[in-house]
């Protein structure tokens, strides 16, 4: 089998929000760009985002990017890099206005401006009271945004390779990224994309958990490819459990429901968040709310026959508001919980939602790895943005609506950086001589394997292990066992056997290749989580409790640092957190409460 | 946990090994946690991994898993298992070429979508902040922008079956009206010119299959009627 080579200036892997935003920059700059996606662009998981995108437009009340920055640093439990956070919060207004100009159908205020609603952890005046910062198109913001950006790319004549799966990153002997190998699903052909810039915008990996709001396609392909190519993964112990997934189904119910006045109640009908976050209450940050809910359930105040969920109540809201601002949520509740939220509360549980960590980048979207002398060096030709990247703006816990902002700001900055780096018009670096053989042999080995594990079995093993050993609350002994287990499961994931050998639209093969990516993410998560012996943000351990010396279990003396996991030998390194913003005073360390 | 057995008849065709399509009879155990057809399909795939279909978000917003279910187009992830007549007959969307099993070639569908210039056209220099639009003007876009491009509607439309290359189809026309209805768009004349043709718009005979099958409850026929009204109005 001959493997053809296609040459582009730039290749973007992933056509969700971050990929499409990068593509606009590259296409409008006139660069020859290929965008690869496992699914038609508007089917990417950005489409499922609901509640909004943060920007301090101040359309309904006074707001300021400095307040947004403060909230984001605090939300991150001080693990976010303050240079990147300043950059993101400052750029927010510009990128949201861009979307409006692309035609995104935002809801409107009476005076015709973009409608904004309150969201968890977003406050005015440095943490004082909730502020309307989330720019929304009903509760379908991600859908409206993704379609608007796809449409803008149609206008810009971006070249898409739809239903192609990237297989591996190709680096040359100097470590520069020179392309990727990819599989065309319809034909089973493998092709090498030779490029001067490769931008990863492959999204999250929530499918490592058994209970997840994430789409089937969220299998951490970019992270798997990066890890196999020797790039470390940053802060992978930090996973966000969204407070309100539909109990049983896992489907997301936006925090915007609480932004519009929704209240969480336990079996006694009590508004329990008043006890955990007296100021922000139901609009405290997601890690705080998820832990409160889990505690309520654990202490026997859960609802239902098995007392295993709590209720999200909006029955006190005007039905007209629900129909206007939360129509999608009503649809989802009826479809997946069997309740009409106008009349009955929705059963919800904390559900795996977002990966704060990822491929380490700076705020310009360039991938940066340790240089071996205590600093960072840029990987030439390699960029990453969106959920697959770690800039790091979310640190130990992401604020709601900052994910859509992240993919806009860093999708754009990664695209701009690539345009900047390609300006010189230099020739492509040479592909390694074995690039074609490597891609071919991986598929051939999978096709030929006999007596291996089924994809279904391996995936069950991964997601059960992660769910049981690295959930909302973490325990020293469970983490230790989890590391041993996941290394056992890894053997299964590297020994997959598929029955389907067809060249045409072989979904079994695609799922097997995805499983090889999932296992890398799972290992990175479990090993990084076991290693971090403190509680911070979404990572809370029983052996790092709340004490006077370490409030909330957070230990800044030893653990105010980013984790870097290397696939090779499961090695862990740490790097400092950037506490110096670009132009303003740092947000000083303090104990986090809402 | 109580389980029950469900019977399925699934259209199978793999051009790599089959000479012609066939129907596969297969059953699967489902439990009370399996609410939707996609849940059953996931279990069926664990049993026979060669069954090929598209799926992603599993909550009715990405538009991947459209198929013909007991004779009617719909999304597997939004179709309740409860009440489905058995054996559940699963076929690819009608009217488009089949690539494999339940996966159709959507090239023609997207070609028509792209043909209506599905993007905002406004040649004024963009202002520093957002363009203003009143809540009432914004309301005009409701029922239009929510389309997920699943193709349930166009592939249920006899006019699209006969002329997929010439008739834009309900999904594309819904998108066309979405931009015509947007106060920020300046290309009304150009957009209407683009549809002024015996086929592109006027092949819609208001059969309303599109409305009947839309999993998002949208009404392409209504939007098409409004485009026709705009056509008439510009001559009076």
């Amino acid at each position: 089998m001959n493997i053809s080579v296609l040459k582009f200036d730039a290749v973007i892997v992933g056509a969700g929000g971050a990929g499409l935003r990068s593509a606009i920059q590259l296409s409008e700059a006139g660069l020859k760009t290929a965008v690869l996606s496992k699914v038609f662009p508007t089917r990417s998981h950005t489409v499922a985002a609901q509640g909004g995108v943060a920007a301090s437009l101040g359309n309904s009340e006074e707001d300021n990017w400095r307040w947004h920055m403060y909230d984001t640093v605090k939300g991150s439990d001080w693990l976010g890099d303050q240079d990147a956070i300043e950059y993101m919060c400052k750029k927010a207004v510009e990128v949201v206005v861009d979307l409006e100009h692309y035609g995104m159908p935002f809801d409107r205020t009476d005076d015709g401006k973009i409608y904004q609603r309150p969201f968890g952890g977003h406050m005015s005046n440095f943490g004082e009271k909730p502020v309307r910062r989330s720019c929304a198109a009903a509760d379908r913001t991600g859908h409206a945004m993704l379609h608007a950006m796809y449409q803008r790319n149609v206008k810009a004549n971006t070249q898409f390779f739809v239903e192609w799966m990237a297989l591996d990153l190709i680096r040359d002997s100097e470590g520069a990224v020179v392309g990727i190998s990819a599989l065309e699903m319809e034909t089973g052909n493998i092709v090498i994309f030779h490029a001067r810039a490769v931008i990863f915008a492959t999204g999250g990996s929530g499918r490592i958990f058994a209970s997840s709001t994430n789409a089937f396609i969220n299998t951490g392909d970019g992270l798997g490819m990066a890890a196999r190519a020797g790039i470390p993964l940053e802060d992978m112990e930090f996973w966000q459990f969204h407070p309100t997934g539909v109990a049983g189904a896992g489907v997301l119910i936006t925090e915007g429901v609480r932004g519009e006045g929704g209240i969480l109640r336990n079996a006694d009908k009590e508004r329990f968040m008043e006890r955990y976050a007296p100021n922000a209450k139901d609009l405290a940050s997601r890690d705080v709310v998820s832990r409160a809910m889990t505690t309520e359930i654990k202490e026997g105040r859960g609802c239902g026959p098995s007392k295993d969920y709590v209720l999200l109540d909006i029955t006190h809201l005007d039905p007209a508001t629900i129909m206007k601002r939360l129509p999608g949520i009503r649809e989802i509740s009826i479809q997946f919980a069997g309740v009409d939220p106008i009349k009955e509360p929705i059963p919800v549980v904390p559900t795996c939602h977002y990966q704060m960590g990822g491929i380490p980048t700076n705020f310009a979207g360039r991938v940066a790895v340790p240089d071996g002398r205590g600093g960072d060096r840029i990987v030439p030709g390699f960029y990453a943005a969106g959920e697959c990247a770690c800039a790091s703006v979310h640190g130990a816990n992401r604020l709601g609506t900052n994910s859509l902002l992240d993919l806009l700001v860093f999708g754009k900055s990664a695209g701009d950086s690539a345009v900047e780096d390609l300006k010189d018009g230099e020739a492509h670096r040479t592909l390694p001589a074995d690039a074609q053989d490597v891609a071919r042999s991986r598929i051939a080995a999978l096709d030929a394997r006999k007596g291996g594990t089924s994809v279904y079995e391996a995936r069950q093993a991964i997601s059960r292990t992660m769910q049981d050993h690295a959930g909302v609350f973490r325990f020293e002994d469970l983490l230790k066992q989890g590391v041993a287990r996941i290394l056992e499961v890894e053997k299964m994931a590297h020994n997959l056997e598929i029955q389907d050998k067809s060249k045409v639209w072989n979904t079994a093969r695609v799922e097997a290749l995805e499983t090889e990516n999932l296992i890398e993410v799972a290992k990175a998560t479990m090993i990084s989580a076991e290693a971090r012996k403190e509680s911070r943000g979404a990572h809370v351990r029983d052996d790092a409790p709340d004490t006077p010396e370490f409030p909330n279990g957070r230990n800044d003396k030893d653990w105010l640092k980013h984790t870097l996991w290397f696939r090779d030998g499961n090695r862990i390194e740490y790097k400092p957190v950037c506490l110096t913003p670009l132009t303003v005073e740092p947000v000083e360390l303090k104990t986090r409460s809402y | 946990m109580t389980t029950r057995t469900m019977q399925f008849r699934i259209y199978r065709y793999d051009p790599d090994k089959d000479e012609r399509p066939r129907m596969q009879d297969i059953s699967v155990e489902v439990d009370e946690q399996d609410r939707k057809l996609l849940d059953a399909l996931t279990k069926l795939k664990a049993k026979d991994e060669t069954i090929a279909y598209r799926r992603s978000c599993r909550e009715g917003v990405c538009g991947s898993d459209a198929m013909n279910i007991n004779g009617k187009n719909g999304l597997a992830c939004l179709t309740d298992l409860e009440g489905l007549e058995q054996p559940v007959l699963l076929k690819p969307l009608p009217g488009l070429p089949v690539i494999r099993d339940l996966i159709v070639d959507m090239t023609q569908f997207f070609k028509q979508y792209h043909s209506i210039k599905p993007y905002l056209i406004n040649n004024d220099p963009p202002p520093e902040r957002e363009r203003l639009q009143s809540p009432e003007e914004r309301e005009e876009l409701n029922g239009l922008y929510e389309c997920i491009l699943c193709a349930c509607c166009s592939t249920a439309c006899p006019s699209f079956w006969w002329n997929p290359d010439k008739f834009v189809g309900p999904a594309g026309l819904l998108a066309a009206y979405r931009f015509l209805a947007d106060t920020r768009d300046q290309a009304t004349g150009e957009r209407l010119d683009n549809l002024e043709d015996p086929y592109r718009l006027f092949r819609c005979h208001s059969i309303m299959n599109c409305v009947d099958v839309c999993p998002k409850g949208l009404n392409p026929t209504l939007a098409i009627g409004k485009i026709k009204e705009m056509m008439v109005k510009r001559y009076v």
Side-chain angles (χ1 to χ4, degrees):
Chain A
M1 182 172 59
N2 233 335
I3 293 185
S4 52
V5 177
L6 299 176
K7 213 164 169 176
F8 286 88
D9 293 324
V11 173
I12 300 172
V13 185
L20 291 181
R21 192 63 190 79
S22 287
I24 292 170
Q25 297 311 105
L26 292 160
S27 290
E28 294 189 347
L31 291 170
K32 193 181 172 201
T33 307
V35 183
L36 271 72
S37 176
K38 289 198 289 189
V39 294
F40 184 78
T42 62
R43 316 212 189 288
S44 309
H45 198 52
T46 303
V47 80
Q50 298 172 353
V53 50
S56 55
L57 296 174
N59 282 354
S60 295
E61 57 187 313
E62 190 189 353
D63 201 3
N64 188 314
W65 68 263
R66 289 171 185 84
W67 300 345
H68 185 188
M69 176 179 171
Y70 174 86
D71 295 340
T72 304
V73 173
K74 177 181 170 186
S76 82
D77 218 346
W78 276 267
L79 194 70
D81 287 329
Q82 296 197 17
D83 55 349
I85 293 174
E86 176 181 337
Y87 182 83
M88 178 177 83
C89 296
K90 240 189 202 165
K91 287 270 180 194
V93 170
E94 174 193 325
V95 292
V96 167
V97 168
D98 278 348
L99 283 175
E100 197 284 328
H101 294 163
Y102 298 162
M104 179 165 163
F106 282 107
D107 284 6
R108 299 287 171 159
T109 60
D110 287 341
D111 52 357
K113 295 178 183 164
I114 293 171
Y115 170 78
Q116 298 187 279
R117 62 161 60 108
F119 236 80
H122 290 281
M123 319 281 270
S124 64
N125 204 18
F126 305 103
E128 214 172 81
K129 61 176 193 342
V131 69
R132 294 175 166 267
R133 187 178 289 147
S134 167
C135 312
D139 53 1
R140 304 188 179 100
T141 310
H143 172 281
M145 176 185 287
L146 190 68
H147 280 252
M149 285 204 280
Y150 175 67
Q151 291 160 355
R152 182 70 176 200
N153 274 287
V154 172
K155 189 177 183 198
N157 267 317
T158 300
Q159 190 176 354
F160 287 101
F161 289 77
V162 174
E163 294 172 337
W164 284 65
M165 181 181 180
L167 299 175
D168 272 298
L169 197 59
I170 303 172
R171 301 177 76 182
D172 70 7
S173 56
E174 289 167 20
V177 168
V178 294
I180 55 156
S181 53
L183 170 78
E184 183 183 30
M185 296 186 197
E186 186 176 337
T187 60
N189 289 338
I190 300 168
V191 170
I192 303 257
F193 287 79
H194 188 192
R196 291 187 61 209
V198 172
I199 301 179
F200 270 14
T202 56
S205 330
R207 284 275 153 180
I208 63 167
F209 286 92
S211 167
S212 168
T213 65
N214 281 204
F216 279 98
I217 54 170
N218 290 15
T219 53
D221 300 337
L223 278 70
M225 289 188 276
R228 282 193 294 278
I231 308 280
L233 301 181
E234 180 174 346
D235 291 342
M236 290 301 294
E237 61 272 44
F238 298 102
W239 281 85
Q240 177 161 85
F241 290 81
H242 195 291
T244 55
V246 173
V251 175
L252 174 69
I253 299 284
T254 176
E255 192 169 301
V257 170
R258 283 170 282 139
E260 297 288 348
I263 293 169
L264 290 165
R265 297 188 191 282
N266 60 20
D268 309 328
K269 305 261 179 345
E270 185 207 1
R271 184 180 193 179
F272 58 86
M273 280 312 300
E274 286 178 331
R275 278 187 278 119
Y276 296 88
N279 186 25
K281 301 189 180 79
D282 299 88
L283 285 177
S285 171
R286 287 181 182 170
D287 55 336
V288 173
V289 179
S290 282
R291 274 196 295 276
M293 290 167 68
T294 308
T295 303
E296 289 299 300
I297 292 168
K298 237 175 25 191
E299 292 178 357
R301 292 185 294 277
C303 307
S306 314
K307 294 176 172 292
D308 55 357
Y309 57 80
V310 301
L311 293 170
L312 175 59
D313 187 4
I314 51 171
T315 55
H316 54 288
L317 298 188
D318 177 6
T321 305
I322 297 175
M323 299 303 281
K324 186 170 178 189
R325 302 290 181 207
L326 305 167
I329 286 312
R330 180 162 180 256
E331 248 177 77
I332 285 176
S333 303
I334 293 169
Q335 279 281 353
F336 293 96
V339 302
D340 182 345
I342 291 177
K343 300 183 196 118
E344 279 176 86
I346 313 164
V348 290
V349 285
T351 305
C352 170
H353 183 57
Y354 189 87
Q355 143 202 311
M356 265 76 74
I359 300 166
T361 69
N362 59 24
F363 62 81
R366 293 189 176 93
V367 176
V369 297
D371 62 5
R373 299 187 304 273
D376 274 347
R377 74 184 160 78
I378 300 297
V379 179
F382 195 25
Y383 312 78
E387 191 169 343
C388 76
C390 182
S392 135
V393 284
H394 310 305
N397 170 68
R398 174 174 71 76
L399 293 189
T401 69
N402 267 353
S403 56
L404 291 184
L405 180 59
D406 166 340
L407 61 83
L408 291 174
V409 169
F410 298 110
K412 181 167 191 280
S413 76
D416 284 339
S417 296
V419 171
E420 169 75 25
D421 295 347
L422 299 190
K423 213 166 49 184
D424 57 22
E426 275 179 23
H428 284 57
R429 286 167 173 260
T430 313
L431 282 172
D434 65 349
Q436 282 149 307
D437 291 338
V438 171
R440 192 173 12 225
S441 63
R442 185 165 164 222
I443 301 289
L446 177 62
D447 278 353
R449 195 169 298 122
K450 290 230 182 324
T453 311
S454 79
V455 171
Y456 181 77
E457 209 183 324
R459 287 208 175 188
Q460 290 284 326
I462 293 172
S463 62
R464 276 306 353 149
T465 304
M466 298 312 294
Q467 197 76 30
D468 295 345
H469 293 266
V472 175
F473 283 105
R474 294 172 174 179
F475 303 90
E476 190 187 11
D477 52 338
L478 282 179
L479 285 168
K480 280 210 165 72
Q481 293 162 17
V483 170
R485 275 244 47 204
I486 207 70
L487 294 176
E488 280 303 306
V489 173
E490 181 184 18
K491 293 175 192 157
M492 298 166 74
H494 290 316
N495 185 40
L496 297 174
E497 178 185 349
I498 53 173
Q499 309 303 321
D500 191 343
K501 312 289 183 188
S502 175
K503 285 197 285 294
V504 180
W505 249 102
N506 188 332
T507 48
R509 178 182 293 148
V510 167
E511 288 187 19
L513 294 165
E514 288 173 338
T515 306
E516 293 178 346
N517 294 324
L518 283 168
I519 189 63
E520 300 301 336
V521 179
K523 278 186 300 175
T525 300
M526 195 70 85
I527 291 165
S528 304
E530 195 277 329
R532 182 176 287 271
K533 310 275 195 281
E534 66 156 353
S535 297
R536 185 185 296 271
H539 175 70
V540 165
R541 304 173 54 121
D542 67 328
D543 54 345
D546 184 21
T547 62
E549 191 189 357
F550 301 118
N552 299 329
R554 192 179 89 196
N555 174 353
D556 290 326
K557 189 162 69 69
D558 299 318
W559 290 102
L560 184 59
K561 55 189 180 185
H562 295 294
T563 308
L564 290 172
W565 169 84
F566 293 78
R567 179 176 188 262
D568 185 21
N570 288 311
R571 188 161 52 85
I572 296 268
E573 282 184 23
Y574 293 96
K575 71 170 183 181
V577 175
C578 175
L579 299 170
T580 333
L582 299 169
T583 64
V584 293
E585 290 296 306
V587 179
E588 297 296 341
L589 282 161
K590 71 178 189 194
T591 301
R592 192 160 157 257
S593 67
Y594 282 95
Chain B
M1 197 171 286
T2 54
T3 63
R4 64 188 172 117
T5 306
M6 281 192 77
Q7 310 291 335
F8 290 83
R9 290 206 84 190
I10 304 178
Y11 177 99
R12 302 297 308 271
Y13 173 61
D14 177 359
D16 204 26
K17 60 178 212 287
D18 299 332
E19 270 186 38
R20 60 182 67 83
R22 63 194 161 86
M23 298 305 290
Q24 176 188 21
D25 289 300
I26 185 168
S27 64
V28 72
E29 298 290 308
V30 296
D31 57 48
E32 57 259 41
Q33 286 189 348
D34 302 310
R35 296 175 68 100
K36 303 291 179 186
L37 173 58
L38 184 61
D39 298 327
L41 269 170
T42 307
K43 287 198 165 165
L44 281 163
K45 195 165 171 62
K47 199 168 166 182
D48 178 355
E49 66 172 27
T50 67
I51 303 169
Y53 55 91
R54 295 185 174 104
R55 84 284 179 267
S56 183
C57 75
R58 60 84 169 88
E59 58 187 70
V61 69
C62 80
S64 297
D65 61 353
M67 55 188 72
N68 189 269
I69 305 153
N70 282 343
K72 190 174 172 184
N73 292 352
L75 299 181
C77 62
L78 292 186
T79 300
D80 284 323
L81 283 175
E82 194 68 48
L84 271 184
E85 200 174 307
Q86 297 183 48
V88 182
L89 186 62
L90 298 181
K91 288 186 178 177
L93 290 176
L96 293 175
V98 175
I99 299 175
R100 175 178 168 173
D101 299 344
L102 301 173
I103 295 172
V104 292
D105 180 351
M106 298 186 75
T107 309
Q108 199 64 56
F109 173 79
F110 286 121
K111 212 169 164 180
Q112 291 296 2
Y113 173 68
H114 291 150
S115 79
I116 61 97
K117 298 198 176 174
Y119 43 82
L120 192 84
I121 299 176
N122 184 318
N123 295 320
D124 294 340
E128 201 167 299
R129 289 289 294 254
E130 65 262 50
R131 293 195 167 98
L132 300 180
Q133 187 172 52
S134 72
E136 295 71 32
E137 290 169 339
R138 165 61 183 78
E139 202 124 308
E140 292 298 313
L141 306 182
N142 285 348
L144 305 172
Y145 82 94
E146 302 93 325
C147 173
I148 57 173
L149 299 175
C150 65
C152 281
C153 60
S154 293
T155 61
C157 172
S159 299
F160 190 77
W161 293 339
W162 307 139
N163 294 292
D165 53 337
K166 296 196 196 85
F167 175 51
V168 171
L173 290 169
L174 186 82
Y177 186 64
R178 178 248 171 276
F179 290 100
L180 284 165
D182 196 322
T183 51
R184 299 168 296 174
D185 191 271
Q186 296 174 329
T188 304
E190 185 190 329
R191 292 185 188 281
L192 292 177
D193 290 347
N194 178 287
L195 298 172
E196 181 96 70
D197 169 286
Y199 284 93
R200 286 180 61 72
L201 170 69
F202 290 102
R203 277 287 121 171
C204 169
H205 298 309
S206 305
I207 301 165
M208 293 184 75
N209 282 2
C210 53
V211 183
D212 190 36
V213 297
C214 177
K216 304 308 283 183
L218 308 180
N219 189 334
T221 308
L222 186 69
I224 293 167
K226 289 191 171 168
I227 302 177
K228 287 178 178 168
E229 260 175 53
M230 289 178 87
M231 288 278 189
V232 173
K233 267 194 197 140
R234 71 169 175 168
Y235 291 112
V236 294

